[in-house]
């Protein structure tokens, strides 16, 4: 079956308030696409438009090449997993998983128990088939919810912040589970809505970064992390130092007093731009692209020290390997970074992408 | 706890009992005491007897009891049916339509029940809707009166019902009717159950509207109690009243047992 999701200029508005602004996005068959953004960025609305719970004011939604914009949710054939699990409290685990199969009447009755067992096996919940959802922990409930969504063998799986209600340790375990499920079900396209960059970086084949009802950037996790196209992506996908710089004639940029050698591409000389440097790529001591400043704050994080250094009145973050001696506040310090680790962004959010 | 000192707590309890016992418990106890006596001229009743109960569970009293039970069960079933249907329909409406429907169902409660009784009598005394003289007119009046409570209780439960369940069901391919039958109604069951109990209790005790329209061969128990005491048979009336009270409480107890099994959270 041909799967995949396509948004074609989809806009959603609630009473004149635009919550999704002309979204164009394609999720390839078998691809995991993460919709990453802060709350209110429109990412959940985009997912709900695919599920059929919100009707776009304009644009079309395609599932596997079929225009589903006008179809009610129950005729779209999607699997959905939400943050609150939404398991039916009056049904046992096996009945919850069988719900979609019974409702659709697409599968002969005799085959249902086998399909249920298969789905529960896949999520490691076979031993709990006879329990009620209230007798399970949060992580177990979410596994059952995933099994319930997979039992109908959807070509598209929608995941709406599925791990947000779990604690940190459980979350990383479930993340590995989801990655395994993706490997076992290579034909299922997944749309994964999250505000957590780690989940998106770990799981997604591509990430669509959303903010203020718009798509800001889209690319593979590596692309977005190493070569962000705008300030929003740089700061939302991973941690970033965003330094206001001025492009110099003859290459390089000026940051306060310091002259930094970085690739300026085709940026016009004299124009203002933003330099993005990841804190963990900033080193301590003399080197190329040296920045001199004073230490304002030191955080010990076990394996690393996070230094907040004030350079020309601007804070610069540096994550360095744990230091034997904790630096003294107010002490002068020199930082450096390699030219290829810096990315020059166009000034202001959006102009780069 | 609101009151911390031990003396304060005792005083609160004493105050509470002083208010509660005379207002709520004593009148009911008086009825029970009267039902076991033949005479009450001093402070306490005299002439203990169980003969009143002999009369209360025989003949026309027994018939009135079955009449009441049948009426109350029928009225509760109809009220639940119409009330839930209307509440489910109202939930899909916009705010204004919902409010109009709410007001419509509350009307019989806001209007004095004597007026409701008279209105039903006048409205259904003529063809094509000739119900006067049949048991149906009593059932109809009770249904009109108690549907408000069923509607109120079910619509409150629908508002509390998290839409994620319906949406999860819909995403799994369930049609709206299937979602209603397999997800929404089961989740509403505890409220439906509570509403059924309430409707039954209200119908069992309904007097004023019933008085306006009951046919001679369909006399519910409250009317029987009223006529008995009106004739001066105070002690027989008390015994019948105790039977009414006991039956209602028994049914409510049974319903509440059902409720604990039906609630899943």
């Amino acid at each position: 079956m041909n799967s995949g999701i396509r948004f074609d200029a989809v806009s959603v508005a609630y009473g004149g308030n635009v919550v999704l602004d002309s979204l164009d996005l394609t999720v390839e068959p078998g691809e995991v696409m993460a919709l990453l953004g802060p709350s209110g960025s429109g990412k959940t609305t985009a997912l709900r438009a695919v599920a059929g719970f919100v009707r776009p004011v304009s644009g079309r939604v395609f599932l596997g090449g079929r225009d589903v914009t006008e179809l009610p949710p129950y005729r779209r054939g999607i699997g959905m997993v939400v943050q609150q699990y939404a398991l039916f409290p009056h049904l046992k685990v096996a009945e919850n998983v069988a719900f979609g199969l019974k409702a659709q009447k697409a599968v002969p009755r005799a085959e249902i128990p086998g399909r249920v067992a298969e789905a529960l096996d896949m999520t490691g919940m076979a031993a709990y088939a006879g329990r009620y959802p209230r007798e399970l922990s949060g992580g177990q409930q979410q596994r059952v919810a995933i099994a319930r969504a997979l039992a109908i063998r959807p070509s598209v799986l929608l995941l709406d912040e599925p791990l947000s209600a779990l604690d940190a340790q459980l979350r990383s375990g479930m993340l590995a589970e989801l990655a395994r499920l993706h490997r076992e079900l290579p034909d299922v396209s997944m749309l994964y809505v999250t505000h957590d960059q780690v989940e998106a970086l770990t799981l997604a084949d591509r990430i669509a970064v959303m903010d203020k009802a718009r798509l800001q950037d889209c690319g593979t996790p590596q692309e977005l992390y190493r070569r962000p196209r705008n300030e929003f992506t740089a700061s939302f996908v991973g941690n970033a130092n965003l330094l206001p710089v001025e492009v110099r004639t003859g290459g390089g940029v000026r940051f306060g007093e310091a002259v930094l050698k970085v690739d300026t591409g085709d940026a016009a000389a004299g124009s203002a731009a933003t330099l993005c440097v990841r804190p963990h790529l900033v080193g301590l001591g003399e080197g190329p692209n040296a920045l001199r400043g004073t230490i304002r704050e030191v955080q010990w994080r076990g394996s690393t020290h996070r230094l907040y250094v004030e350079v020309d009145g601007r804070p610069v973050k540096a994550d360095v390997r744990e230091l034997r001696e904790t630096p003294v506040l107010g002490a002068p310090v020199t930082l450096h970074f390699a030219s290829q680790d810096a990315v020059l962004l166009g000034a202001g959010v959006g102009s780069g992408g | 706890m609101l009151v911390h000192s031990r003396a304060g707590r005792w005083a609160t309890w004493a105050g509470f009992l002083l208010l509660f016992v005379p207002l709520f418990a004593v009148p009911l106890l008086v009825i029970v005491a009267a039902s076991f006596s033949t005479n009450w001229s001093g402070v306490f009743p005299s002439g203990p007897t169980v003969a009143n109960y002999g009369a209360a569970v025989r003949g026309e009293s027994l018939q009135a009891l079955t009449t009441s039970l049948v009426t109350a069960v029928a009225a509760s079933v109809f009220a639940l049916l119409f009330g839930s249907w209307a509440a489910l329909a109202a939930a899909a409406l916009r705010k204004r339509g919902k409010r109009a429907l709410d007001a419509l169902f509350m009307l019989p409660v806001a209007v004095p029940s004597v007026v409701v009784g008279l209105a039903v009598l006048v409205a259904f005394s003529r063809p094509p809707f000739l119900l006067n003289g049949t048991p149906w007119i009593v059932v109809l009046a009770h249904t009109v009166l108690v549907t408000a409570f069923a509607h109120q209780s079910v619509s409150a439960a629908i508002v509390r019902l998290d839409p994620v369940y319906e949406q999860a069901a819909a995403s799994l391919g369930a049609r709206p009717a299937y979602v209603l039958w397999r997800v929404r109604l089961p989740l509403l069951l505890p409220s439906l159950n509570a509403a059924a109990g309430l409707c039954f209790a209200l119908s069992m005790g309904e007097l004023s509207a019933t008085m306006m329209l009951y046919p001679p061969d369909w006399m519910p128990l409250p009317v029987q109690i009223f006529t008995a005491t009106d004739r001066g048979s105070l002690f027989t009336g008390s015994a019948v009243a105790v039977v009414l009270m006991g039956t209602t409480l028994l049914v409510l107890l049974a319903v509440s047992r059902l409720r604990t099994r039906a609630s899943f959270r």
Side-chain angles (χ1 to χ4, degrees), chain B:
Chain B
M1 192 156 286
L2 219 55
V3 183
H4 282 281
S5 77
R6 182 178 271 263
R9 213 138 49 192
W10 277 109
T12 319
W13 269 109
F16 168 71
L17 289 176
L18 216 63
L19 272 173
F20 176 81
V21 172
L23 276 177
F24 294 93
V26 167
L28 296 178
L29 288 176
V30 166
I31 287 271
V32 175
S35 71
F36 283 107
S37 48
T38 46
N39 199 357
W40 197 328
S41 41
V43 179
F44 292 105
S46 53
T49 176
V50 289
N52 296 330
Y53 282 94
V57 294
R58 230 187 298 119
E60 59 175 2
S61 294
L62 183 65
Q63 200 186 344
L65 180 63
T66 43
T67 301
S68 260
L69 281 171
V70 169
T71 308
V73 169
S76 310
V77 169
F78 287 134
L80 269 190
L81 223 58
F82 299 140
S84 323
W85 183 4
L88 286 165
L93 287 177
R94 282 168 207 277
K95 208 166 194 175
R96 193 178 285 176
K98 203 179 293 184
R99 218 174 281 161
L101 212 61
D102 271 349
L104 184 70
F105 276 96
M106 283 315 282
L107 207 58
V109 182
V111 172
S113 43
V114 176
V115 178
V116 174
L118 186 62
V120 170
L121 181 72
V122 172
F124 293 95
S125 289
R126 213 168 283 235
F129 301 112
L130 182 59
L131 296 179
N132 192 5
T134 70
W136 287 109
I137 197 160
V138 182
V139 174
L140 178 72
H142 282 208
T143 305
V144 168
L145 283 170
V146 300
T147 301
F149 298 96
H151 177 257
Q152 199 75 356
S153 134
V154 176
S155 40
I158 289 172
V159 170
R160 284 199 308 272
L161 197 63
D162 196 329
V164 295
Y165 296 116
E166 291 163 49
Q167 293 181 352
S171 80
L172 290 165
R175 287 162 181 284
Y178 194 88
V179 177
L180 176 67
W181 189 244
R182 289 299 165 100
V183 177
R184 294 179 79 189
L185 282 179
L187 291 178
L188 290 174
L189 206 56
S191 320
L192 290 174
N193 202 302
L198 184 65
C199 290
F200 178 84
L202 286 168
S203 172
M204 281 297 274
E206 214 308 312
L207 175 67
S208 38
T210 317
M211 286 292 279
M212 302 302 297
L213 43 67
Y214 75 94
D217 60 343
W218 196 259
M219 183 197 276
L221 208 52
V223 181
Q224 165 89 5
I225 296 167
F226 178 79
T227 48
T229 48
D230 205 33
R231 281 200 309 266
S233 329
L234 184 66
F235 301 108
T236 318
S238 300
V240 178
V242 172
V243 169
L244 175 65
M245 186 164 79
T247 315
T248 310
L249 287 178
L250 264 176
V251 172
L252 286 186
L253 194 70
V255 168
S256 77
R257 295 285 300 195
L258 275 179
R259 186 187 322 176
T260 47
R261 230 186 295 161
S263 61
F264 287 95
R265 274 176 293 178

Side-chain angles (χ1 to χ4, degrees), chain A residues 98-253:
Chain A
F99 186 91
L101 298 171
K102 286 184 181 162
Q104 291 185 349
K105 299 189 181 87
V107 180
R109 270 196 170 271
E111 283 179 31
I112 291 178
R115 291 275 292 267
V116 170
E118 182 193 56
L120 284 174
D121 265 336
M122 209 180 280
T123 52
M125 290 300 293
Y128 300 90
R131 302 248 191 125
Y132 280 103
R134 62 170 181 272
E135 298 167 332
L136 303 179
S137 71
Q140 291 171 331
Q141 291 193 37
Q142 194 57 290
R143 281 160 192 266
V144 175
I146 292 168
R148 182 176 69 176
L150 290 177
I152 58 171
R153 293 192 185 152
S155 56
V156 167
L157 188 61
L158 306 178
L159 300 135
D160 186 5
E161 309 241 359
L163 309 183
S164 298
L166 307 177
D167 61 54
Q169 206 181 347
L170 218 48
R171 206 179 301 175
S172 78
M174 282 299 286
L175 215 48
E177 288 275 305
L178 286 172
R180 181 180 58 78
L181 278 174
H182 176 47
R183 283 195 300 274
E184 287 177 15
L185 304 164
D187 299 330
V188 177
S189 311
M190 298 191 193
L191 190 63
Y192 190 102
V193 165
T194 182
H195 63 267
D196 185 313
Q197 40 142 324
V198 177
E199 286 176 23
L201 290 172
T202 313
L203 205 60
D205 297 319
R206 280 195 300 155
I207 300 175
V209 182
M210 312 245 337
D211 188 39
K212 296 181 184 135
R214 281 176 168 277
L215 180 67
Q216 299 292 341
D217 209 343
C218 182
T220 67
Q222 289 78 9
E223 277 169 16
L224 294 185
Y225 192 80
R226 302 212 175 111
R227 296 273 148 206
R229 268 187 289 177
N230 56 45
E231 289 180 23
F232 183 79
T233 308
S235 58
F236 207 79
V237 181
N239 233 306
N241 285 305
L242 297 174
L243 311 174
V245 296
E246 190 195 309
V247 180
R248 295 173 75 234
T249 35
V253 296

